[in-house]
Amino acid sequence: MTKHAMLLDYNWCTGCHSCEIACEMEFGFEPGKGGIEVCEVGPWQLPNGRWQYDNFVHVSRNCTLCASRRAKGKKAACESACQAQCLKVGPLDELVAEASAGPAKQLIVP
């Protein structure tokens, strides 16, 4: 059986929360109790004058990487809803090479 994972490119995540809402709607989770959550770091000013403001994604134990959707040939709900197209679900071996292409990419294997 092929192991699947999620790849996130933080260079492009805008913190829109579309992935969260799509997950909650797809599986009937209560708000804030879905399989994915977008968290914010910042904003605050750094000593060098630049600003710290980033978004990162937390995948909870409710996340199945949308195995039921993928079995029907569909994309994961979060991936399908991502406006910035910075989230991808697929076979782990395919995503490993893509993850190494940039420092702002994170591979998540729930």
Side-chain angles (χ1 to χ4, degrees):
M1 185 153 122
T2 304
K3 181 87 172 164
H4 280 72
M6 179 184 293
L7 181 64
L8 300 158
D9 187 338
Y10 290 110
N11 282 317
W12 300 103
C13 181
T14 64
C16 71
H17 300 269
S18 293
C19 55
E20 288 178 19
I21 295 166
C23 178
E24 291 166 358
M25 291 181 69
E26 179 73 22
F27 295 101
F29 293 125
E30 293 179 35
K33 296 184 179 178
I36 191 167
E37 179 182 11
V38 178
C39 305
E40 295 177 357
V41 178
W44 62 76
Q45 195 164 17
L46 301 170
N48 64 4
R50 296 181 63 197
W51 283 85
Q52 168 63 51
Y53 184 73
D54 288 308
N55 299 293
F56 71 94
V57 174
H58 168 74
V59 177
S60 79
R61 291 185 179 152
N62 282 335
C63 180
T64 63
L65 296 175
C66 285
S68 58
R69 286 179 58 92
R70 289 185 293 104
K72 296 175 187 173
K74 297 179 180 181
K75 289 182 177 182
C78 57
E79 178 182 8
S80 185
C82 181
Q83 296 176 21
Q85 298 179 3
C86 62
L87 191 151
K88 187 176 191 178
V89 175
L92 176 60
D93 57 346
E94 292 177 17
L95 297 180
V96 167
E98 196 173 333
S100 63
K105 293 189 178 188
Q106 179 184 8
L107 191 60
I108 300 171
V109 185

